[in-house]
Amino acid sequence: MKRHRDESVPFSAVFGLPAEVGMRVAAKALNVSLGTAYKQARRGDFPCRLCRRGRIYVVALHDLMRGLGIQDVRVRYDDIEEGARLAAGYGDCSRQ
């Protein structure tokens, strides 16, 4: 299937970030200790929505980003390709 030039992807997908992270990564990103994170989870006041995968907690990346105030914007393929050209030194410098 041929992709259309106006398709977009989430910013997090461009960098190959995981769809969800474990409690250790979420706690570190939120600048709280792992023990505090688990206490918050048990009390139901963890700053992000948590899901259980068996015995462990996981946080969807978009929920973690939202909790950190980071917007996971959609990026157009054309912008990604243009950015790669600029980074490689092949971009049009006259459009500054």
Side-chain angles (χ1 to χ4, degrees):
M1 183 169 133
K2 187 176 179 181
R3 70 178 162 98
H4 299 284
R5 299 302 290 170
D6 63 344
E7 288 181 355
S8 63
V9 294
F11 179 80
S12 57
V14 172
F15 293 99
L17 300 176
E20 52 189 32
V21 296
M23 184 64 93
R24 184 177 308 275
V25 171
K28 187 169 184 163
L30 293 164
N31 200 29
V32 297
S33 72
L34 187 57
T36 299
Y38 277 109
K39 286 177 189 173
Q40 290 176 333
R42 284 191 297 273
R43 289 191 312 245
D45 62 356
F46 192 75
C48 304
R49 186 176 58 160
L50 294 169
C51 296
R52 295 287 300 228
R53 297 285 184 264
R55 296 179 58 188
I56 64 170
Y57 288 106
V58 294
V59 179
L61 183 65
H62 64 271
D63 289 333
L64 179 58
M65 290 176 70
R66 188 177 302 126
L68 293 168
I70 301 170
Q71 186 178 7
D72 193 16
V73 296
R74 305 238 5 130
V75 181
R76 292 184 5 234
Y77 283 110
D78 291 344
D79 292 335
I80 297 168
E81 292 168 357
E82 181 63 21
R85 279 194 295 276
L86 287 172
Y90 297 116
D92 180 10
C93 296
S94 64
R95 297 190 317 180
Q96 294 180 4

